[in-house]
Amino acid sequence: MGDMANSSIEFHPKPQQQREAPHAGGFGCTLAELRSLMELRGAEALQKVQEAYGDVSGLCRRLKTSPTEGLADNANDLEKRRQIYGQNFIPPKQPKTFLQLVWEALQDVTLIILEVAAIVSLGLSFYAPPGEESEACGNVSAGAEDEGEAEAGWIEGAAILLSVICVVLVTAFNDWSKEKQFRGLQSRIEQEQKFTVIRNGQLLQVPVAALVVGDIAQVKYGDLLPADGVLIQGNDLKIDESSLTGESDHVRKSADKDPMLLSGTHVMEGSGRMVVTAVGVNSQTGIIFTLLGAGGEEEEKKDKKAKKQDGAVAMEMQPLKSAEGGEMEEREKKKANVPKKEKSVLQGKLTKLAVQIGKAGLVMSAITVIILVLYFVIETFVIEGRVWLAECTPVYVQYFVKFFIIGVTVLVVAVPEGLPLAVTISLAYSVKKMMRDNNLVRHLDACETMGNATAICSDKTGTLTTNRMTVVQSYLGDTHYKEIPAPSALTPKILDLLVHAISINSAYTTKILPPEKEGALRRQVGNKTECALLGFVLDLKQDFQPVREQIPEDKLYKVYTFNSVRKSMSTVIRMPDGGFRLFSKGASEILLKKCTNILNSNGELRNFRPRDRDDMVKKIIEPMACDGLRTICIAYRDFSATQEPDWDNETEVVGDLTCIAVVGIEDPVRPEVPEAIRKCQRAGITVRMVTGDNINTARAIAAKCGIIQPGEDFLCLEGKEFNRRIRNEKGEIEQERLDKVWPKLRVLARSSPTDKHTLVKGIIDSTTGEQRQVVAVTGDGTNDGPALKKADVGFAMGIAGTDVAKEASDIILTDDNFTSIVKAVMWGRNVYDSISKFLQFQLTVNVVAVIVAFTGACITQDSPLKAVQMLWVNLIMDTFASLALATEPPTESLLLRKPYGRDKPLISRTMMKNILGHAVYQLTIIFTLLFVGELFFDIDSGRNAPLHSPPSEHYTIIFNTFVMMQLFNEINARKIHGERNVFHGIFGNPIFCTIVLGTFAIQIVIVQFGGKPFSCSPLSTEQWLWCLFVGVGELVWGQVIATIPTSQLKCLKEAGHGPGKDEMTDEELAEGEEEIDHAERELRRGQILWFRGLNRIQTQVCWGGKKG
């Protein structure tokens, strides 16, 4: 199914066919016609529609669809439309194949050096020097006559190659599974995206990929448009087209002025219905993606085709006639091909650390090789005075290759290539587990940033509360009802007005459906506040459906939709007598100011003066708000047929109202929230509530949640007061004024989206504390987008959130619940700790192995640990340890400490103490074994063995002891804060246990049966027990180290700070260019034309298409 969508051009009917059959498949428009129509804007577009089709309903007729009923939900018809006009799906970039990943893993420099060395070693081992008088070449093959040992020279080279292959496969497999997980994640985000269409007169939610040309789609506030279309009917519709045009002003759309709606743009206000005219690769987004070569390989195919079909294509290759089109496209192409690397704070610190260690390793290995070569040359040619004979050359070269391999081995062990692997595994593992905790992570690094969070700015509705709203109190006809009144208690006139005002003046997509199961609650669909009001109508034993059927949506005369500035919604209908009636609902303190009358108990008008309003606020509204209720005022106004007002003058129209009722809506606090907030506070995270509700309601809810506690010094401000405090006389925001407000601020009420953004930006930019604040923000509305983007971690609501909010966020909360944020903090801290555990283990091995190989080589001309053994140790340390330590599950104790902050070094003093302490133990043991081991075990010494001599028990014991110590030290590494009990929770991590036991088992096999390739000779039980005994000593030694207080060791340096601003190297800067950070991307919006906003759609459309 995906093949059809392979390239935009494949959908084109060939020019000849167009002449014969002008209208494809019996529809009245061809694909090319629709595409050229969608490239026009504003008046031009309107003119084209009128010339070609008469009007929009003419276009609908040609597309065989009804503006009111939509398409018949007929599978054959839908399939036919997909055949002709394409499907709403942009083919994704091909994921890298396993072989490509293997090839990438092979690019690693150290591995290449090893491969070369191994191949040279192999080649030389097959070359036998002529003649047997090798005596002349020194003590090369003494003892090599033992049963064809000489023939076994190839084994070492082969073994090195084999271990390289192992490392490469493991790395590639990890990358592959990471990629697969990430794609799975993307597809899950995409599958969840549905869009509302009308089919057979029914409103249906269909996956975005199932949209076809001719569908009638409902667009509403907060939608991300998934296809191009022409507006049929709109209410106050405003679109943010910046993702396509770079212009940040919102564009007003209406059926009679500018009806063109484009995919990838955001609905910022209002609602409407459109007929879909272009989908997938033929939509504006799709055309751009085709230009950017979203399909990579399809580019070449297209180029070939483009030459054949010059005429048809030339026109479509300029989707937006931008002046700088040419250069931009070139630049875009490059942009699109550079993969966006996400580098987090942690990865920055790690890369820096790895480079430092790598450099040190390089120096050490170079010195090792030089010393070995010099030693050999002086010993052979100077002291023994031999002459370099031609036939001895291969023998000498073999020696040099052996030295070179030892040098490379030192380097391999020194370079911690396991670091990036550990981060990847840890993050991928966390992300996978976080899915179970209802966190859908969109950007990997958000997971780790969350561990450093110091402040959370949370919405109230839906996050701290259940978002299941119900009307519990009301003020109707001069009476304050504390529960739902009986219908008989109300005058019929009031009841009728109230039912009409609620039923008509709310989105028709908002409904209350009967419960799914007997005895369950009624299902609320759409805006929750409106659901509460419709529920109130049902509780009054009335019904809203008949009213809506009597006055369908297209009969509404004018709609002023809800937005964050108005904080109210009004709808105008035409009365039978030719006059008009306006219904309005909104925040009570805002709407009551516009009321001049109120209905009394008989349903008659009575004057409503400012004094009455103050009375009402004190006696009705404030008590309701102090109970944590949200108050909504419902009002109306009549206009006679003769005095039709200017509908665009909104302040004039929505004024002089008559109040029908004030209702108090309850949105109960989620039962688990107070405990979650307590955990946050204990973990050193300040929770602030930012809400559009009034201050009394907000304060009541904040107290219930535990955000504010009695006796604390805190601030609860309204948006206006907040702005007054932080702005100077000129109205500019001053950081020092903000710094006086935010530390104590706990509740910001009646806040606008800009206030939220200002607060977040102010906290992040503040320099008052000892470290920069890391701020997490939750949001669900379109207007929360800027704050979510500005925050270090933006959480969008998976259920209540709009597409725009999800687009701007880093993590999506699939259950909209605050407790999931606490889980995210736990996982974030766990990632950080896992990396630290791994580092502590890895660096101990590094230090020991490098020193052993280096001193061993210098003193005995041979590394006690052979190349293949080193590679095995490397595999344990890097791959297995990163798996074992990076998958430790988080514990509640992580929430008992303060956040680390951005500048905390990766390796703390305690860790440094552990690393050096264990290194001392291991080095002491190994050197003791190396120099006096043969006496202790009563075996032959393995020192100064000639080339190709059989493996000695002596060196096998050293290798085995070394590995045993690492195994037990891995258990020590599980704790990094100096805890005593290193076994705590060890069985909670099956991966860890499996890996430790598995490594142990493989080690037994290697030692007992590894033979020549691993330079091992089998050991007796007694020798094994000694090795184990020394290994267990690590645990005892760990306790000794834990006893030494870190505070006494002032000399210990911390390591692995984040890269400083001035320390960026040229390469990093060049990389930085590619890694345009989201915030900068915002600034360069106009420049990065339409790329950013389309990023998601591409994946969304393709994933949807794959499933569709």
Side-chain angles (χ1 to χ4, degrees):
M1 197 167 161
D3 301 336
M4 267 170 36
N6 245 353
S7 109
S8 60
I9 291 153
E10 286 169 31
F11 289 141
H12 277 287
K14 293 267 169 21
Q16 298 88 327
Q17 291 173 344
Q18 278 185 14
R19 285 188 208 106
E20 293 152 27
H23 298 313
F27 294 111
C29 319
T30 62
L31 179 66
E33 269 175 42
L34 288 175
R35 267 181 72 151
S36 58
L37 170 67
M38 289 322 292
E39 277 165 17
L40 303 173
R41 306 273 177 273
E44 275 184 274
L46 202 62
Q47 192 184 343
K48 176 81 194 263
V49 170
Q50 284 160 351
E51 284 170 12
Y53 313 107
D55 58 1
V56 180
S57 43
L59 174 64
C60 291
R61 278 195 299 280
R62 293 267 197 101
L63 288 172
K64 299 192 174 170
T65 180
S66 145
T68 48
E69 299 291 302
L71 294 175
D73 209 353
N74 166 349
N76 293 344
D77 175 49
L78 296 178
E79 191 44 51
K80 185 173 165 195
R81 286 172 191 274
R82 284 195 192 105
Q83 297 278 325
I84 294 170
Y85 298 115
Q87 45 193 353
N88 200 13
F89 155 61
I90 296 173
K93 217 177 173 97
Q94 284 300 310
K96 288 187 175 146
T97 60
F98 188 68
L99 287 175
Q100 279 170 309
L101 291 169
V102 167
W103 177 242
E104 275 180 20
L106 278 169
Q107 309 297 308
D108 187 55
V109 185
T110 41
L111 288 180
I112 293 177
I113 298 175
L114 265 182
E115 287 154 27
V116 173
I119 290 167
V120 171
S121 159
L122 263 177
L124 287 173
S125 67
F126 290 124
Y127 174 80
E132 282 304 313
E133 63 280 30
S134 53
E135 276 306 305
C137 304
N139 62 342
V140 177
S141 33
E145 271 62 61
D146 308 359
E147 314 98 68
E149 278 285 357
E151 278 78 76
W154 61 274
I155 292 183
E156 187 168 31
I160 294 178
L161 281 182
L162 197 70
S163 31
V164 166
I165 291 169
C166 264
V167 174
V168 166
L169 287 178
V170 170
T171 317
F173 180 73
N174 272 309
D175 286 345
W176 179 77
S177 58
K178 179 179 100 182
E179 174 108 351
K180 188 160 152 269
Q181 258 177 9
F182 198 67
R183 291 206 165 233
L185 193 72
Q186 280 295 80
S187 70
R188 175 156 169 202
I189 294 175
E190 313 319 350
Q191 279 164 353
E192 284 178 354
Q193 207 191 355
K194 291 199 159 52
F195 210 75
T196 313
V197 297
I198 304 174
R199 289 190 182 163
N200 279 339
Q202 296 288 322
L203 278 178
L204 295 178
Q205 290 270 333
V206 299
V208 164
L211 285 176
V212 293
V213 170
D215 254 327
I216 304 296
Q218 284 272 20
V219 294
K220 61 179 186 311
Y221 162 81
D223 282 342
L224 179 70
L225 297 182
D228 293 353
V230 179
L231 190 65
I232 300 173
Q233 171 263 323
N235 305 320
D236 209 7
L237 194 61
K238 285 191 187 155
I239 307 278
D240 171 9
E241 293 190 345
S242 60
S243 56
L244 279 176
T245 60
E247 298 298 324
S248 54
D249 297 341
H250 297 171
V251 185
R252 187 182 280 277
K253 299 281 181 184
S254 61
D256 50 2
K257 291 202 180 69
D258 180 3
M260 309 314 258
L261 300 177
L262 307 173
S263 56
T265 58
H266 292 133
V267 182
M268 300 312 277
E269 218 174 284
S271 61
R273 279 205 319 278
M274 72 169 186
V275 55
V276 175
T277 53
V279 293
V281 284
N282 299 302
S283 66
Q284 290 301 305
T285 306
I287 293 172
I288 290 161
F289 266 109
T290 313
L291 284 180
L292 291 179
E297 297 79 50
E298 284 134 34
E299 284 287 282
E300 294 97 66
K301 293 186 216 164
K302 262 179 246 155
D303 290 342
K304 288 172 200 157
K305 285 214 174 82
K307 287 182 188 117
K308 292 178 204 159
Q309 312 177 316
D310 38 28
V313 185
M315 164 201 91
E316 295 129 15
M317 279 311 188
Q318 317 141 346
L320 290 172
K321 320 243 180 331
S322 85
E324 39 180 8
E327 303 164 43
M328 281 313 305
E329 271 152 35
E330 278 311 302
R331 212 175 310 161
E332 279 310 308
K333 256 184 189 151
K334 283 184 201 141
K335 276 257 150 40
N337 295 336
V338 173
K340 160 98 179 66
K341 293 197 218 92
E342 283 184 2
K343 215 177 199 179
S344 58
V345 183
L346 183 62
Q347 275 165 323
K349 289 181 184 178
L350 281 175
T351 314
K352 198 169 163 224
L353 192 69
V355 168
Q356 288 168 347
I357 297 173
K359 282 180 186 161
L362 197 62
V363 172
M364 291 289 274
S365 62
I367 296 175
T368 312
V369 174
I370 293 167
I371 289 179
L372 284 170
V373 171
L374 283 177
Y375 198 101
F376 175 75
V377 170
I378 292 170
E379 167 118 333
T380 314
F381 301 120
V382 180
I383 300 176
E384 297 182 11
R386 295 179 188 278
V387 187
W388 184 301
L389 298 172
E391 64 267 24
C392 291
T393 305
V395 180
Y396 293 143
V397 171
Q398 249 177 335
Y399 259 113
F400 291 142
V401 169
K402 176 182 158 186
F403 298 150
F404 182 58
I405 288 179
I406 292 173
V408 173
T409 316
V410 174
L411 180 64
V412 171
V413 177
V415 174
E417 63 268 31
L419 278 183
L421 190 69
V423 181
T424 309
I425 292 178
S426 186
L427 285 174
Y429 172 77
S430 303
V431 166
K432 204 169 176 182
K433 292 287 191 211
M434 281 168 83
M435 297 275 268
R436 290 187 195 163
D437 286 339
N438 304 306
N439 283 294
L440 201 134
V441 182
R442 292 182 66 235
H443 300 130
L444 270 184
D445 51 359
C447 158
E448 152 234 325
T449 312
M450 213 35 225
N452 292 330
T454 53
I456 297 176
C457 296
S458 172
D459 273 2
K460 173 178 76 72
T461 311
T463 317
L464 300 172
T465 58
T466 56
N467 205 12
R468 192 186 163 81
M469 303 200 185
T470 41
V471 173
V472 288
Q473 295 187 23
S474 52
Y475 179 80
L476 285 154
D478 287 344
T479 321
H480 184 178
Y481 297 98
K482 290 289 174 96
E483 54 248 351
I484 304 290
S488 53
L490 302 176
T491 326
K493 180 183 175 190
I494 292 184
L495 194 58
D496 183 59
L497 264 173
L498 183 68
V499 171
H500 275 75
I502 291 174
S503 310
I504 293 167
N505 186 30
S506 56
Y508 277 35
T509 47
T510 305
K511 298 200 252 327
I512 300 259
L513 302 176
E516 285 177 339
K517 292 200 268 307
E518 275 296 308
L521 295 167
R522 289 191 291 237
R523 281 181 295 155
Q524 297 187 338
V525 180
N527 180 307
K528 299 299 184 201
T529 313
E530 292 180 349
C531 286
L533 295 170
L534 293 174
F536 183 49
V537 169
L538 297 176
D539 290 338
L540 290 169
K541 309 284 184 285
Q542 308 296 311
D543 193 2
F544 57 88
Q545 209 49 50
V547 179
R548 286 182 170 183
E549 278 159 13
Q550 184 192 341
I551 305 175
E553 196 169 8
D554 44 15
K555 292 267 173 59
L556 301 179
Y557 191 76
K558 172 90 181 149
V559 179
Y560 301 95
T561 51
F562 179 88
N563 68 25
S564 53
V565 181
R566 287 193 187 116
K567 292 211 188 293
S568 68
M569 171 180 178
S570 312
T571 305
V572 183
I573 55 169
R574 207 170 199 137
M575 302 301 280
D577 63 3
F580 300 94
R581 176 169 285 172
L582 168 127
F583 290 117
S584 195
K585 69 164 191 286
S588 55
E589 59 261 48
I590 290 169
L591 218 52
L592 282 175
K593 284 183 185 152
K594 300 182 178 175
C595 289
T596 50
N597 296 299
I598 189 165
L599 295 180
N600 66 11
S601 51
N602 305 324
E604 289 146 4
L605 300 193
R606 136 173 104 69
N607 251 349
F608 185 66
R609 297 181 299 277
R611 198 175 64 234
D612 301 331
R613 187 176 69 234
D614 296 342
D615 264 9
M616 185 155 171
V617 167
K618 276 199 192 67
K619 293 184 179 147
I620 313 294
I621 291 173
E622 282 187 0
M624 282 188 186
C626 292
D627 291 343
L629 303 184
R630 192 168 169 186
T631 53
I632 300 279
C633 173
I634 298 164
Y636 81 106
R637 176 185 182 180
D638 282 335
F639 299 93
S640 66
T642 51
Q643 54 163 61
E644 179 171 347
D646 168 12
W647 296 113
D648 287 333
N649 183 355
E650 192 188 324
T651 41
E652 185 63 32
V653 174
V654 186
D656 200 9
L657 304 172
T658 302
C659 171
I660 305 171
V662 171
V663 295
I665 297 178
E666 180 184 45
D667 184 8
V669 171
R670 289 177 182 262
E672 62 276 21
V673 162
E675 174 56 24
I677 286 181
R678 242 196 327 280
K679 280 184 187 163
C680 280
Q681 289 162 342
R682 212 175 345 170
I685 301 170
T686 313
V687 182
R688 294 180 174 83
M689 178 159 97
V690 182
T691 174
D693 241 333
N694 77 39
I695 187 123
N696 295 331
T697 311
R699 193 184 276 130
I701 300 274
K704 282 182 189 169
C705 294
I707 290 176
I708 53 181
Q709 265 122 11
E712 265 188 4
D713 180 17
F714 58 79
L715 281 176
C716 293
L717 297 180
E718 283 204 341
K720 274 192 189 140
E721 171 65 14
F722 172 67
N723 276 307
R724 201 183 58 70
R725 290 195 184 195
I726 63 169
R727 291 175 191 271
N728 58 19
E729 297 70 52
K730 295 181 191 157
E732 295 159 347
I733 297 168
E734 285 190 356
Q735 186 66 42
E736 55 265 32
R737 286 176 183 238
L738 235 170
D739 287 344
K740 288 182 190 139
V741 176
W742 72 257
K744 288 183 180 174
L745 184 70
R746 291 294 174 273
V747 176
L748 184 58
R750 280 278 172 255
S751 71
S752 68
T754 36
D755 295 341
K756 191 172 187 173
H757 183 257
T758 307
L759 176 66
V760 173
K761 185 175 182 311
I763 297 180
I764 289 179
D765 295 347
S766 170
T767 48
T768 49
E770 59 271 13
Q771 57 186 28
R772 151 154 143 52
Q773 296 274 318
V774 177
V775 185
V777 171
T778 68
D780 53 4
T782 302
N783 45 25
D784 291 328
L788 287 170
K789 248 192 161 37
K790 178 68 196 161
D792 294 290
V793 182
F795 284 92
M797 301 299 140
I799 304 167
T802 58
D803 296 339
V804 183
K806 289 179 186 171
E807 183 53 41
S809 70
D810 301 302
I811 297 181
I812 296 174
L813 294 179
T814 50
D815 63 346
D816 289 13
N817 193 335
F818 187 83
T819 44
S820 305
I821 299 179
V822 182
K823 300 235 178 76
V825 172
M826 224 156 79
W827 277 108
R829 293 186 170 191
N830 193 53
V831 167
Y832 214 90
D833 279 8
S834 297
I835 303 300
S836 296
K837 289 170 188 175
F838 172 67
L839 263 177
Q840 178 174 306
F841 174 68
Q842 162 105 43
L843 293 182
T844 313
V845 188
N846 271 13
V847 170
V848 176
V850 170
I851 294 178
V852 168
F854 176 68
T855 42
C858 297
I859 298 169
T860 66
Q861 292 85 67
D862 185 6
S863 166
L865 296 172
K866 300 288 181 290
V868 181
Q869 295 175 352
M870 288 278 210
L871 280 169
W872 162 238
V873 170
N874 210 27
L875 200 68
I876 304 179
M877 326 188 313
D878 282 357
T879 313
F880 294 153
S882 57
L883 252 179
L885 293 167
T887 52
E888 286 274 302
T891 56
E892 288 283 335
S893 60
L894 286 168
L895 294 175
L896 299 176
R897 62 172 175 76
K898 298 274 178 278
Y900 279 148
R902 292 176 92 79
D903 323 323
K904 177 180 181 303
L906 276 176
I907 302 168
S908 62
R909 278 236 176 97
T910 314
M911 287 166 60
M912 210 41 139
K913 176 183 77 175
N914 289 344
I915 292 171
L916 296 178
H918 286 293
V920 167
Y921 173 82
Q922 298 187 6
L923 287 170
T924 313
I925 299 280
I926 287 178
F927 283 133
T928 310
L929 285 175
L930 181 59
F931 296 112
V932 295
E934 71 270 29
L935 309 174
F936 181 77
F937 285 108
D938 189 24
I939 47 178
D940 296 333
S941 165
R943 293 194 299 281
N944 300 331
L947 203 60
H948 298 322
S949 57
S952 66
E953 281 186 359
H954 184 188
Y955 275 18
T956 309
I957 291 178
I958 293 178
F959 165 59
N960 197 22
T961 310
F962 183 64
V963 172
M964 286 304 121
M965 291 195 291
Q966 300 325 324
L967 273 185
F968 285 99
N969 195 28
E970 198 165 338
I971 299 174
N972 276 329
R974 291 183 67 246
K975 301 291 175 216
I976 49 173
H977 298 298
E979 295 93 332
R980 289 256 174 217
N981 181 4
V982 290
F983 290 102
H984 178 70
I986 192 165
F987 295 115
N989 185 359
I991 302 183
F992 185 87
C993 302
T994 318
I995 284 180
V996 171
L997 295 172
T999 317
F1000 185 61
I1002 299 174
Q1003 178 65 15
I1004 295 178
V1005 174
I1006 288 179
V1007 170
Q1008 297 306 91
F1009 311 107
K1012 185 74 184 164
F1014 280 98
S1015 314
C1016 284
S1017 115
L1019 300 180
S1020 67
T1021 319
E1022 185 194 351
Q1023 289 164 335
W1024 262 102
L1025 287 174
W1026 275 109
C1027 294
L1028 265 176
F1029 172 72
V1030 172
V1032 176
E1034 267 289 335
L1035 294 174
V1036 182
W1037 183 246
Q1039 296 301 319
V1040 174
I1041 294 176
T1043 318
I1044 306 167
T1046 313
S1047 50
Q1048 301 295 308
L1049 304 170
K1050 290 275 184 288
C1051 54
L1052 287 184
K1053 275 273 195 291
E1054 299 160 326
H1057 293 265
K1061 289 209 172 54
D1062 45 350
E1063 297 171 17
M1064 293 282 270
T1065 61
D1066 294 345
E1067 289 161 44
E1068 278 173 332
L1069 282 171
E1071 256 177 46
E1073 306 266 302
E1074 294 159 16
E1075 298 169 18
I1076 297 173
D1077 149 318
H1078 298 297
E1080 286 171 49
R1081 229 183 244 194
E1082 281 295 302
L1083 299 174
R1084 297 172 56 176
R1085 241 178 177 175
Q1087 215 184 50
I1088 296 195
L1089 282 174
W1090 340 275
F1091 190 53
R1092 191 185 55 68
L1094 312 174
N1095 223 339
R1096 161 107 177 269
I1097 283 201
Q1098 172 210 8
T1099 28
Q1100 153 208 323
V1101 177
C1102 14
W1103 280 105
K1106 272 201 174 164
K1107 311 287 177 227

